[in-house]
């Protein structure tokens, strides 16, 4: 329905393995929304594995009618991935892995503190390649923010790295104020 809030693919809490979105056409408010925070009555969450977003036509726009207005506006990014580590009794060790966004044709917009492609949390292996992405305004295109550092069971080997192995290659960006932003929550 025109000018109504729509999300093409949504996953909350427990993620699944082998998510493949291939050869889809989407015109709407939000293409993907994955929020891995565990529910308040849940024992935990599961990381995402092997996510492929390939050869899609994606046109996301801001309807100004987001369904949960109390949430921060970054949640309404065209593609929103919140990937916290697996909550376990002890050190947090599990990353989400192998998220590939390739060969897509995209037109997008981004909310004020978000981006067209917004990933936050703990991830090992994000590939963003061979995409054609345009924007009508001066927004952020790719925004990748680390979450909590992943700790090892060996206290001497703790890591302060939350997101690793990011590959951004061979993309065509048009009209973006900030095509690629890696790191903290700044404009």
């Amino acid at each position: 329905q025109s000018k109504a809030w729509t999300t093409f693919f949504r996953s909350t809490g427990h993620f699944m393995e082998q998510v493949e979105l291939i050869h889809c056409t989407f015109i709407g408010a939000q293409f993907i929304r994955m929020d891995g925070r565990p529910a308040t009555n849940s024992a935990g969450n599961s990381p995402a594995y092997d996510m492929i977003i390939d050869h899609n036509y994606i046109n996301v726009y801001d309807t100004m009618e987001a369904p949960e207005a109390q949430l921060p506006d970054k949640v309404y990014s065209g593609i929103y991935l919140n990937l916290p580590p697996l909550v376990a009794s002890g050190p947090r060790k599990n990353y989400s892995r192998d998220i590939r966004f390739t060969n897509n044709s995209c037109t997008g917009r981004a909310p004020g503190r978000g981006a067209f492609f917004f990933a936050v949390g703990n991830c090992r292996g994000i590939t963003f390649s061979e995409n054609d992405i345009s924007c009508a305004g001066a927004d952020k295109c790719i925004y990748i923010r680390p979450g909590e550092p992943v700790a090892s069971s060996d206290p001497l080997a703790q890591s302060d790295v939350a997101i690793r192995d990011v590959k951004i290659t061979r993309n065509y960006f048009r009209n973006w104020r900030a095509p690629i932003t890696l790191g903290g929550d700044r404009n």
Side-chain angles (χ1 to χ4, degrees), residues 25-163:
T25 298
F26 176 73
I27 300 171
Q30 187 171 52
F31 186 59
I32 298 172
R33 181 171 176 181
M34 293 184 77
D35 194 345
R37 291 173 297 173
T40 55
N41 59 354
S42 174
N45 63 329
S46 299
Y49 295 99
D50 297 326
M51 183 170 190
I52 299 170
I53 303 112
D54 185 69
H55 282 90
N56 298 293
Y57 172 77
I58 304 165
N59 184 342
V60 294
Y61 57 85
D62 191 356
T63 66
M64 302 302 289
E65 298 176 9
E68 300 140 345
Q70 74 278 9
L71 294 175
D73 57 354
K74 65 188 174 193
V75 174
Y76 305 116
S77 295
I79 295 168
Y80 174 74
L81 306 172
N82 182 4
L83 307 169
L86 179 66
V87 177
S89 59
R92 298 171 180 214
K93 296 184 249 185
N94 292 7
Y95 287 95
S96 288
R97 295 188 189 105
D98 299 326
I99 296 172
R100 295 179 292 278
F101 190 88
T102 56
N103 300 300
N104 298 291
S105 177
C106 311
T107 301
R109 60 88 189 110
R113 309 240 351 134
F116 168 74
F117 181 93
F118 183 91
V120 62
N122 296 65
C123 188
R124 185 173 188 169
I126 294 178
T127 300
F128 196 96
S129 182
E130 305 284 341
N131 299 292
D132 182 343
I133 307 170
S134 66
C135 173
D139 293 331
K140 291 178 186 160
C141 183
I142 303 169
Y143 192 2
I144 299 175
R145 288 185 40 209
E148 300 174 39
V150 175
S152 169
S153 58
D154 176 4
L156 299 175
Q158 288 192 359
S159 170
D160 61 355
V161 177
I163 293 185

